[in-house]
Amino acid sequence: MRNYFLIAIIFIFLGSFAPLWAQGSVEEKKDNNAVSESKDCIPLSKMEFSSGQAEAIEAIRSSYRRRILQLRSDLMVKRIEIRNLLNDPETGEEKVLVKAGEIEDLNRAFDRVVLNYQLEIRRVLSPEQIKVWCTSGEMSAKRDWK
């Protein structure tokens, strides 16, 4: 019962702050800029687009935003659950391994969604934009994205 209450609180908390997460924090934006400058590439947020490209990219972002946030939320909950299992001396190893498998499955699903997002964005960009586009750090399971 306690675990269900904890999970419910986490979902309520995550749901109420989802719009803020979509904006990202100042520190994360600094980290993204540091990565982009060191690799001589440009993140989407710094690129210049035609009006058609800008609309298409925003539509792609909008279509993926909810899925990304849901997967991040699910991963956070599973990580808390596995931490609780590891701290419970009554929990058997098999139960921990099953939970770890669930986390692996969610990570794979997350990676698949991010790749599909990047492929859709890539279809909108010109060859010159693709060459300078920083794809690393744009989205991750631990970082927010615009």
Side-chain angles (χ1 to χ4, degrees):
M1 182 68 184
R2 182 177 169 204
N3 285 340
Y4 292 115
F5 179 73
L6 178 64
I7 291 170
I9 296 241
I10 290 170
F11 276 115
I12 291 169
F13 177 78
L14 293 175
S16 64
F17 290 102
L20 295 175
W21 288 359
Q23 295 174 6
S25 72
V26 173
E27 288 181 15
E28 289 167 351
K29 288 179 183 175
K30 286 181 186 174
D31 288 345
N32 282 344
N33 290 342
V35 169
S36 66
E37 290 171 8
S38 67
K39 290 188 175 185
D40 295 323
C41 58
I42 304 170
L44 284 178
S45 61
K46 303 269 187 202
M47 281 189 181
E48 292 186 23
F49 302 112
S50 69
S51 62
Q53 282 180 315
E55 289 173 13
I57 288 170
E58 187 52 40
I60 294 166
R61 281 183 175 154
S62 295
S63 72
Y64 280 87
R65 185 173 285 128
R66 177 163 289 160
R67 286 182 269 179
I68 295 293
L69 290 174
Q70 183 62 51
L71 285 167
R72 281 190 186 143
S73 172
D74 293 346
L75 277 165
M76 186 180 297
V77 169
K78 295 293 180 189
R79 288 177 181 142
I80 290 169
E81 289 175 356
I82 200 167
R83 190 176 334 142
N84 289 339
L85 290 173
L86 287 168
N87 290 335
D88 181 2
E90 302 297 317
T91 302
E93 287 183 20
E94 186 61 35
K95 200 169 186 179
V96 174
L97 292 172
V98 166
K99 191 62 64 181
E102 292 172 9
I103 291 172
E104 289 174 2
D105 292 343
L106 282 172
N107 277 322
R108 272 195 297 279
F110 183 87
D111 290 344
R112 219 175 6 257
V113 169
V114 168
L115 179 61
N116 289 335
Y117 165 80
Q118 290 175 334
L119 289 172
E120 283 196 46
I121 293 289
R122 192 173 187 271
R123 289 184 203 117
V124 174
L125 300 177
S126 70
E128 294 79 23
Q129 289 169 322
I130 291 171
K131 287 179 185 176
V132 296
W133 176 32
C134 288
T135 58
S136 65
E138 185 160 333
M139 283 190 279
S140 75
K142 294 181 181 175
R143 289 186 149 192
D144 297 323
W145 60 291
K146 288 184 172 184

